[in-house]
Amino acid sequence: MAKKNYSEEFRRDAVELYRDTDGATVAGIDADRGISHGSLTTWLRNAGIPIRRPGISSAPRPDPAETPEREAARLRAEVAHLRAEKTKLETERDILRSAAKYLAGGDELVNRFHFVSDHSDTYPVKRLCQVIDIARSSYYAWIGAAETRAARAAADVELAEKIRAVHTVDKTYGRPRITAEINHGQPADRRVNHKRIARILRANNIEGVRLRRRHRTTIAEPADTPAANLLHRDFTAAVPNARYVGDITYLPCGDGEFLYLATVIDCFSRRLVGWSIAEHMRTELVEDALGAAALTRGSLAGAVFHADRGSHSTSEDFVVLCTKFGVTQSMGAVGTSADNALAESFNATLNRETLQGASRWESPRAARLAVFRWIARYNTRRRHSYCNYLSPADYENTYAFDNLQQAA
């Protein structure tokens, strides 16, 4: 078997994944990521991280001095305990089933409070709060503020009528002008905050007429010369290491922060052979991804690398980069996602399966580890429909084995 080469980024992320995963073992991490046991052990030792050893447990042996009467009493106690646990689990199941429609959308915390209030005659409040994971003190505080909320809701209804009156006169008015109109002539203590106006506008679907600009995520550099489209939306390859597609996608995290992920995907197996994550989207990001791909494949010489017409891929630096790795550059049209559909599909799958409905990760570090964990699973374990529901790595291994059989 050929010796595997790993980029420094890959090694660092593997070590961080081991460090941050409770109960992780070397065997578990290297099996999921296709890393040799010795390589991961060496990386951990170099990083000064102690290696966890799986614990050895054995079932307790019965007390040989236990009398039949005591054994019967013990077993009755265990049965009673299991029945109590069964009842508890059934109750939790029923509560969660009832809560499902409350948690389907909107303000989740408020919906949980409403659920507890509506079912407090059926189940104890303490039990309801435990099952749906809210503090009883928060629930009772919410109950105590009912009158305040009712007064605020009535005030919002009154303000909504004033807003409608202003908007009826001039439907081009949006939040800034409506706020100015509502506050005109009012003393300082009776002025309405623009954020409250915006909230009521959204809640009542009131919107001023405005021109909408189309936002482009792929912006070409006019001074540079684009390469030809060599794939023509044919994202297949007869052999590995012949055709690649790549893209840069945003990873939203923290408070308005972004990381950027550059990818290199083999059209033969949909395997992600190279990637890199950074806080910028300059050409160096793509260079690191192609460098990782070259380490994985041994060489990219003679392959086609297809990307969109972003400024990084139409620059002179990118042309030099493709020459460095011996790849032929291919490029789709501006604003046509179908010309790079394979990369776009990969990005959509990654975001859907890592964020799982969330809008962003809590920090750049959390984003990096989540993406690293998902990519490793995507290559080695996640079954891909294009690969006859094998993982990309298994699909390539099957191809290599079949070729060896035919050669023999």
Side-chain angles (χ1 to χ4, degrees), residues 152-282:
R152 187 186 302 121
D156 283 350
V157 170
E158 181 181 352
L159 180 58
E161 291 303 318
K162 294 180 180 179
I163 290 173
R164 286 194 185 93
V166 174
H167 190 259
T168 300
V169 174
D170 192 338
K171 294 188 180 299
T172 65
Y173 273 18
R175 187 263 304 165
R177 289 186 174 86
I178 289 177
T179 301
E181 185 70 22
I182 293 292
N183 288 332
H184 179 70
Q186 295 291 333
D189 61 342
R190 294 184 63 84
R191 290 176 178 267
V192 182
N193 186 277
H194 67 91
K195 294 181 180 179
R196 186 181 177 195
I197 296 287
R199 175 173 58 81
I200 294 176
L201 286 170
R202 289 193 301 270
N204 291 273
N205 295 318
I206 301 172
E207 185 178 10
V209 175
R210 60 182 177 178
L211 297 176
R212 299 179 183 271
R213 294 192 307 168
R214 295 180 61 187
H215 295 276
R216 297 165 58 196
T217 57
T218 301
I219 303 174
E221 177 57 51
D224 294 328
T225 303
N229 187 341
L230 302 180
L231 298 192
H232 301 290
R233 303 185 184 181
D234 178 12
F235 303 107
T236 61
V239 295
N241 200 25
R243 283 181 163 189
Y244 293 98
V245 298
D247 195 13
I248 295 179
T249 188
Y250 300 87
L251 303 176
C253 51
D255 186 13
E257 299 176 86
F258 290 93
L259 291 177
Y260 301 92
L261 169 68
T263 56
V264 181
I265 305 167
D266 196 318
C267 292
F268 172 77
S269 61
R270 275 43 178 175
R271 180 180 177 184
L272 186 67
V273 296
W275 75 90
S276 184
I277 300 175
E279 296 177 350
H280 62 82
M281 52 186 302
R282 298 188 296 271

Side-chain angles (χ1 to χ4, degrees), residues 6-13 295:
Y6 303 95
S7 66
E8 185 61 30
E9 184 178 13
F10 184 99
R11 299 181 186 184
R12 183 177 61 251
D13 286 343
L295 281 174

Side-chain angles (χ1 to χ4, degrees), residues 4 33 49 64 71 106 127 161 179 202 204 254 273 275 279 326 360 363 374 383:
K4 294 185 178 180
R33 277 86 205 162
I49 298 176
E71 181 183 19
R127 190 71 182 133
E161 291 303 318
T179 301
R202 289 193 301 270
N204 291 273
V273 296
W275 75 90
E279 296 177 350
R360 58 182 59 248
S363 67
W374 183 87
R383 297 182 184 275

Side-chain angles (χ1 to χ4, degrees), residues 347-408:
N347 293 340
T349 300
L350 183 148
N351 287 323
R352 182 177 64 252
E353 296 187 4
T354 54
L355 285 170
Q356 297 184 2
S359 60
R360 58 182 59 248
W361 287 278
E362 62 182 8
S363 67
R365 186 171 186 272
R368 178 183 284 274
L369 289 178
V371 171
F372 177 74
R373 182 183 292 110
W374 183 87
I375 286 174
R377 178 180 174 273
Y378 169 87
N379 275 337
T380 61
R381 290 200 172 188
R382 184 183 179 277
R383 297 182 184 275
H384 202 299
S385 58
Y386 180 83
C387 301
N388 298 323
Y389 291 97
L390 296 173
S391 70
D394 287 342
Y395 188 73
E396 289 189 358
N397 290 338
T398 300
Y399 169 82
F401 178 79
D402 290 343
N403 279 356
L404 287 175
Q405 292 289 93
Q406 292 177 6

